[in-house]
Amino acid sequence: MALACDILIGDTTTTFRDTHVKFGLAPCWGLSQKLTRRVGPGRAKIVSFTAGPIRVDKAHEWGLLDEVVDSSQSKDTVLDRAIELADAISTNNSLMVRRYKRAIEEGTGMEYHKGLQRERELGLAHYLEIVGDGSTFEDAKEYVKGSNRPRMTSKL
C-alpha cells in the first residue's frame, strides 16, 4: 500500500518489508514495478527476494521514503508532517497540482526526451484551456510584483 502513495513519510520506527516470497505469493498489484522504479532493480531484489525488513535509514537512503520525521528531536509526528504537506499542497491551484502529477507520472515512465515532449504537450494543452479568461496570468503577474511575496536577499 505504501507504494500507492505520492509521498512517503516515516519516523525512526518505520520499517518496510515485502513478504511475497516468504509465503509463495506472486505480486499482482504492481509491487514489482513500483518498487523497482522507486529504488532501482538491485535494491528491489534485495527487498523482495530476502523478505527481510528494511529500516528507516536504509529506506530513506534508497529513496523508498521521501522524508523522515525524528520524533525524538521534536514534538512533530509523521501525521503532523503529512498534514503540513497536505495543507501546503492544498493552497495551490488544484487543477495544476493534478496536471503536474500527471506530467511527472507519465514522463517518469518514458525515455527522458519523450518525457520532455510529453511535458510540453500537457503544458500546451493546459495553456490553451486556461488562456480564455486570462486569470492565471493575472494571478501570476500580481504575485511577481506583489509586496507581500517573500523575497530573496542578496548575499553580496
Side-chain angles (χ1 to χ4, degrees):
M1 280 197 287
L3 292 175
C5 298
D6 289 325
I7 300 167
L8 281 175
I9 304 168
D11 67 15
T12 53
T13 66
T14 301
T15 58
F16 291 92
R17 129 185 269 167
D18 173 10
T19 58
H20 282 84
V21 298
K22 185 173 195 68
F23 301 109
L25 302 172
C28 298
W29 294 356
L31 177 64
S32 69
Q33 298 307 300
K34 291 177 181 179
L35 182 62
T36 300
R37 283 168 172 74
R38 188 125 185 163
V39 302
R43 291 173 175 167
K45 290 172 185 174
I46 291 170
V47 172
S48 298
F49 296 173
T50 66
I54 302 300
R55 298 193 195 295
V56 69
D57 55 335
K58 191 67 67 183
H60 188 248
E61 177 188 329
W62 287 1
L64 182 56
L65 271 178
D66 299 303
E67 198 170 298
V68 177
V69 175
D70 187 353
S71 302
S72 69
Q73 299 296 321
S74 95
K75 64 178 180 61
D76 292 338
T77 65
V78 172
L79 181 58
D80 293 330
R81 180 60 179 142
I83 291 170
E84 182 182 332
L85 285 172
D87 286 344
I89 292 167
S90 72
T91 64
N92 295 310
N93 181 289
S94 62
L95 177 61
M96 195 64 252
V97 170
R98 288 191 308 274
R99 288 183 171 172
Y100 208 127
K101 177 181 173 178
R102 181 177 176 191
I104 290 170
E105 290 178 349
E106 289 182 13
T108 302
M110 301 175 176
E111 294 177 17
Y112 181 71
H113 73 280
K114 290 182 180 181
L116 289 175
Q117 180 181 349
R118 185 62 182 144
E119 178 185 278
R120 285 190 292 274
E121 292 167 359
L122 293 169
L124 180 58
H126 173 74
Y127 287 122
L128 288 173
E129 182 179 322
I130 67 162
V131 79
D133 69 1
S135 65
T136 297
F137 296 112
E138 287 304 314
D139 290 347
K141 187 167 72 175
E142 285 303 313
Y143 177 79
V144 168
K145 70 179 187 177
S147 59
N148 294 333
R149 175 171 68 92
R151 303 207 184 263
M152 298 295 293
T153 55
S154 174
K155 303 276 190 232
L156 301 176

